[in-house]
Amino acid sequence: MPTGPDPVTADHPAADRPVAADRLPVRRRLLPVIALLLLAPWAAECSWGGFAIDDFLPVLIFLGPMYGGAAILIRETARHLGAGWPTIVLLAAAFGVLQAGLVDQSLFNPDYLDDTQYADTRAAAEATLVPGLEFSLRQAFDYVGNHIVLTICAPIVLIESFLGSKRRLRPWLGRPGLAVVGVIYLLGSLLIFSDINDDKGFLASPLQLTFAALLVLALVATALLPRWRRPHPRRTRRAPHPLWIGLPVILVRIGADLTPGWAGVAIALGLVAAVGGLIAYWSSGSGWGQRHVLAAGTAGLVTAAAFAYLVPPYSPASPAAALAGDVAVTVVTVALVGAAWWRLRRASPTVHVGAS
């Protein structure tokens, strides 16, 4: 997942930053918007085996407005500002906290997974409860991290990789379009909040809600800092081959689950910090391109698809339906990542981040 400085403005001065969305035909702007609207909920809930194949379509319909709407708004905010991946990642983290802390409130509800096939994870979650706020830091890492990697970053990376270099940084929507997507997102979130509140009968405490809201505001404020839009000159060092970029991201996914309890959380956070710093270091070098971004941004998605065979869906399903879902996840993931890689290689052997 790209988290380091995005040297976009080093190659693109202010005059060359993304132009207004209304200079592109409506059809060309809406196609990637619709694609992101559908891909975000699939990546968030289906790509890791959370649902059997017969639930894929309901997931897209029911969760698309919320997950897809958030991905579009985050991507458009960053691109309208001329900002890069640090802004996208921070806004994705804010969305993760908003979703888990204020919308479905899974972060604070100890019974949230009791009616699923993940009820046995409750004891491990309670081993890392934060005193006073009564939420599991282990679950917070998983919930927010998955939203950053799967719900927001991987879908954006994939869709942008299919676009030409001149369109990759350009906004897709103007203010009317953003307003429509904003309304869709709010309605989708209210629908989920109402449905889960009726089903679970849970409401977080005022202290918990205040904590989540303040954390969301802090992450959004950090994401909008001017520093993420300042030029960052490229270094003379060369970036490694794009395939090497994804390996540290995969190691985070595997290493984060090796040890339970507080030690496991500490290891997971340490791995994220180390890999984030490494990608920031690599991304500031010459030769860093969209293929590197694609490898970093989709490594988590590929890993999730690989592990889908080892985890059950939320609700019990027949072995055939569960296996069909896992195979479908593999096929879709390989097709999307492979096609995006082929598209970039066909366009240019070196597609710089400045065009991504």
Side-chain angles (χ1 to χ4, degrees):
M1 173 175 53
T3 57
D6 191 1
V8 171
T9 52
D11 293 334
H12 295 263
D16 295 331
R17 288 182 182 174
V19 297
D22 56 8
R23 295 187 183 180
L24 287 174
V26 173
R27 179 180 56 83
R28 296 185 66 190
R29 295 202 308 271
L30 290 185
L31 184 59
V33 171
I34 295 172
L36 186 53
L37 187 70
L38 297 175
L39 183 56
W42 181 87
E45 298 292 354
C46 301
S47 67
W48 54 272
F51 288 91
I53 191 168
D54 50 352
D55 289 325
F56 281 13
L57 183 59
V59 166
L60 299 185
I61 296 173
F62 192 58
L63 299 179
M66 180 177 62
Y67 287 147
I72 293 168
L73 291 174
I74 288 172
R75 190 265 174 194
E76 290 298 285
T77 297
R79 297 318 185 195
H80 273 281
L81 292 174
W85 281 101
T87 293
I88 292 176
V89 171
L90 287 167
L91 289 177
F95 165 74
V97 176
L98 176 66
Q99 177 64 30
L102 299 176
V103 179
D104 63 35
Q105 300 186 16
S106 55
L107 187 61
F108 302 120
N109 185 358
D111 304 326
Y112 188 80
L113 296 175
D114 283 359
D115 57 352
T116 73
Q117 297 198 87
Y118 293 90
D120 58 351
T121 63
R122 181 168 180 169
E126 291 178 344
T128 57
L129 284 180
V130 177
L133 291 169
E134 300 304 316
F135 72 89
S136 169
L137 195 58
R138 173 78 248 184
Q139 282 186 332
F141 177 86
D142 292 338
Y143 292 163
V144 177
N146 283 337
H147 280 310
I148 294 173
V149 175
L150 299 179
T151 309
I152 306 300
C153 289
I156 292 176
V157 167
L158 280 168
I159 301 304
E160 289 192 341
S161 294
F162 280 100
L163 301 177
S165 59
K166 293 183 179 180
R167 293 186 59 201
R168 202 166 289 136
L169 281 177
R170 300 175 73 173
W172 299 333
L173 299 172
R175 291 182 180 178
L178 288 175
V180 171
V181 174
V183 171
I184 291 174
Y185 166 71
L186 288 176
L187 292 177
S189 298
L190 289 174
L191 176 64
I192 298 301
F193 173 81
S194 175
D195 181 71
I196 291 182
N197 185 261
D198 292 341
D199 184 45
K200 308 287 185 181
F202 174 84
L203 186 64
S205 70
L207 178 61
Q208 291 172 328
L209 295 174
T210 301
F211 168 77
L214 290 176
L215 185 54
V216 169
L217 291 175
L219 287 168
V220 171
T222 305
L224 300 181
L225 288 175
R227 64 169 299 177
W228 307 125
R229 303 191 292 275
R230 293 172 184 165
H232 296 281
R234 292 187 184 274
R235 309 299 181 182
T236 56
R237 57 178 175 270
R238 296 288 298 176
H241 189 277
L243 292 181
W244 289 106
I245 305 298
L247 290 181
V249 180
I250 295 174
L251 290 177
V252 171
R253 172 62 179 84
I254 297 174
D257 293 330
L258 291 179
T259 305
W262 290 103
V265 173
I267 292 173
L269 293 175
L271 286 172
V272 169
V275 171
L278 181 61
I279 292 178
Y281 175 81
W282 281 337
S283 68
S284 63
S286 61
W288 178 270
Q290 181 64 15
R291 281 185 289 168
H292 297 85
V293 178
L294 177 65
T298 59
L301 180 67
V302 171
T303 308
F307 277 90
Y309 294 90
L310 304 179
V311 301
Y314 282 119
S315 300
S318 68
L323 179 59
D326 296 337
V327 172
V329 163
T330 299
V331 172
V332 172
T333 302
V334 171
L336 286 173
V337 176
W341 185 268
W342 175 83
R343 171 71 175 84
L344 291 174
R345 284 185 61 88
R346 182 172 177 270
S348 172
T350 55
V351 184
H352 294 293
V353 164
S356 67

